[in-house]
């Protein structure tokens, strides 16, 4: 790339190195610290994957036990956070609620402005533990339900479902949710992660970087797509109308949510794993119409545009079957991606350079202000 060449959206531009994950469109693969994400999704708890992304290695048994104990001790909904969630009312979007709650959690941190590696790791662990309670309570309050106290006999993903629904998940539900969280945890320099790195590059704090990343993730071109997938499904309604709906949408130049990707151009490496998990839920719920719509729309999009689904496409139906409200889907993405964001904050800080690109000026040439203004 020549100096001064404009690459809108930074498409194809390598801006830094990372050791956290490798997204490889040629092999359609994703590695977290060298491990294929499909194997991690199959064999590891979310806590093990979080530790791997932060530390670079899977935890030893004693490391995992100590981490799990710290995480379980930090799950309860802070009354001050509950008050802020309540203050947001029910018209506020759940992404605005979780962004505001994380902002308060960070402001309340005793070591908010301590950016040492140990302090940032502790903050990352605390956010991982605290965000599920916010998302769970936000859904419950909109249904006039009281918050559910966390259980320290359940792992992170099962407790998340427990606090949301007030009942223990089935084995399939727990496994599918865990798989989705592992797949959502990290994806190199995506827009929200790069946002977190830009904020960190000014030597701002981890909390500010995560709040900024939540703002970036909210957009429907990025994390907001999983919510938008189900809004489209609800708009289509009858599976038999999928093809006609798509024709109209494409004719109107609409982006079809859940399809396409800036890096993967032959399909998102995570989709087969998430789709298989989603189909297990479909079987458990007998959701034949939902999966028929899912299959027909994907087939029609392949024929019409040759564009494949991304992770948000199978995640939407899975979260619907798990019982989450549609507007809570992207906050679920936040709960998982906070691990990737904080891993990148720590990596950026360890070898920092202020991120400040150039722009090519196309405004008016220099001119004189008229006398008298
Ligand atoms: C995530 O970066 C990451 O890793 C993100 C993520 C992560 O884990 O962090 O993977 C998560 O954000 C996945 C993406 C979720 N977003 C969506 O599902 C929204 C719908 N997708 C599109 O907006 C689009 O595919 C993007 C934004 C994801 C990628 O777009 P690009 O690479 O900028 O490509 P583009 O928009 O320039 O599209 C190229 C062509 C265009 O046609 P022309 O204008 O040249 O004729 O393909 C078309 C686009 O219109 N196209 C689509 C489309 N995606 C691309 N047309 C209709 N529907 C789509 N979904």
């Amino acid at each position: 790339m020549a100096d001064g060449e404009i690459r809108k959206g930074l498409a194809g531009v390598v801006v830094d190195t990372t050791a956290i994950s490798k997204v490889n469109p040629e092999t359609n693969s994703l590695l977290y610290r060298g491990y294929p994400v499909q194997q991690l999704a199959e064999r590891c708890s979310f806590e093990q994957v979080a530790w791997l992304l932060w530390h670079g290695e899977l935890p030893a048994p004693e490391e995992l036990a100590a981490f799990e104990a710290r995480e379980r001790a930090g799950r309860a909904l802070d009354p001050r956070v509950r008050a802020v969630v309540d203050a947001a009312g029910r018209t506020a979007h759940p992404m605005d609620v979780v962004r505001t709650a994380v902002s308060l959690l960070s402001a309340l941190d005793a070591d908010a402005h301590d950016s040492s590696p140990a302090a940032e790791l502790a903050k990352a662990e605390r956010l991982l533990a605290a965000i599920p309670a916010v998302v769970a309570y936000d859904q419950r309050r909109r249904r006039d339900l009281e918050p559910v106290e966390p259980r320290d006999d359940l792992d992170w993903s099962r407790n998340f479902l427990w606090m949301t629904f007030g009942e223990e998940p089935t084995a399939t539900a727990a496994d599918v949710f865990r798989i989705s969280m592992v797949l959502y945890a990290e994806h190199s320099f995506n827009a929200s992660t790069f946002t977190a790195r830009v904020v960190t590059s000014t030597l701002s704090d981890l909390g500010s970087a995560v709040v900024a990343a939540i703002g970036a993730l909210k957009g429907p071109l990025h994390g907001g797509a999983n919510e938008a997938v189900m809004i489209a499904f609800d708009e289509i309604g009858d599976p038999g109308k999928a093809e006609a709906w798509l024709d109209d949408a494409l004719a109107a130049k609409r982006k079809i949510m859940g399809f396409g990707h800036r890096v993967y151009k032959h399909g998102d490496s995570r989709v087969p794993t998430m789709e298989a998990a989603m189909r297990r839920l479909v079987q458990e719920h007998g959701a034949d119409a939902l999966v028929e719509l899912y299959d027909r729309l994907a087939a029609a999009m392949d024929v019409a545009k040759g564009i494949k689904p991304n992770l948000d496409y199978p995640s939407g139906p899975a979260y619907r079957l798990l019982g989450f409200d549609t507007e809570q889907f992207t906050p679920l993405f936040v709960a998982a991606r906070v691990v990737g964001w904080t891993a990148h904050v720590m990596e950026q800080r360890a070898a920092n350079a202020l991120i400040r690109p150039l722009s090519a000026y196309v405004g008016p040439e220099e001119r004189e202000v008229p006398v008298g203004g």
Side-chain angles (χ1 to χ4, degrees), residues 183-184 186-192 217 220-223 225 250 253-265 268 270 301 305 307 310-312 333 337:
L183 295 175
Y184 265 133
E186 158 63 12
H187 210 240
S188 81
F189 281 18
N190 59 84
S192 55
L217 189 75
L221 292 190
H222 187 18
L250 292 177
K253 297 288 183 199
R254 282 172 65 178
K255 297 278 195 206
I256 312 305
M257 297 293 119
F259 289 90
H261 199 278
R262 170 59 64 77
V263 178
Y264 295 120
K265 290 305 178 189
D268 183 325
R270 302 161 292 184
M301 186 65 176
K305 300 280 282 187
I307 297 176
N310 56 55
L311 178 56
D312 294 322
F333 197 155
R337 188 55 61 88

Side-chain angles (χ1 to χ4, degrees), residues 163-249:
M163 292 185 81
T164 305
F165 303 109
E167 58 188 38
E168 285 207 36
T170 64
T172 299
D175 201 37
V176 169
F177 184 63
R178 176 190 58 78
I179 288 168
S180 78
M181 293 288 103
V182 168
L183 295 175
Y184 265 133
E186 158 63 12
H187 210 240
S188 81
F189 281 18
N190 59 84
S192 55
T193 296
F194 190 62
T195 299
R197 290 188 78 120
V198 169
V199 172
T200 304
S201 80
T202 72
L203 299 187
S204 185
D205 62 292
L206 177 141
S208 299
V210 171
V211 168
I214 294 172
L217 189 75
K218 179 182 177 184
L221 292 190
H222 187 18
N226 62 9
E227 168 187 341
V229 166
M230 289 320 288
I231 290 170
F233 275 39
D234 293 340
E235 199 179 301
I236 296 168
D238 174 358
K241 295 178 179 168
E243 294 80 3
W245 178 90
L246 182 65
D247 289 345
D248 293 346

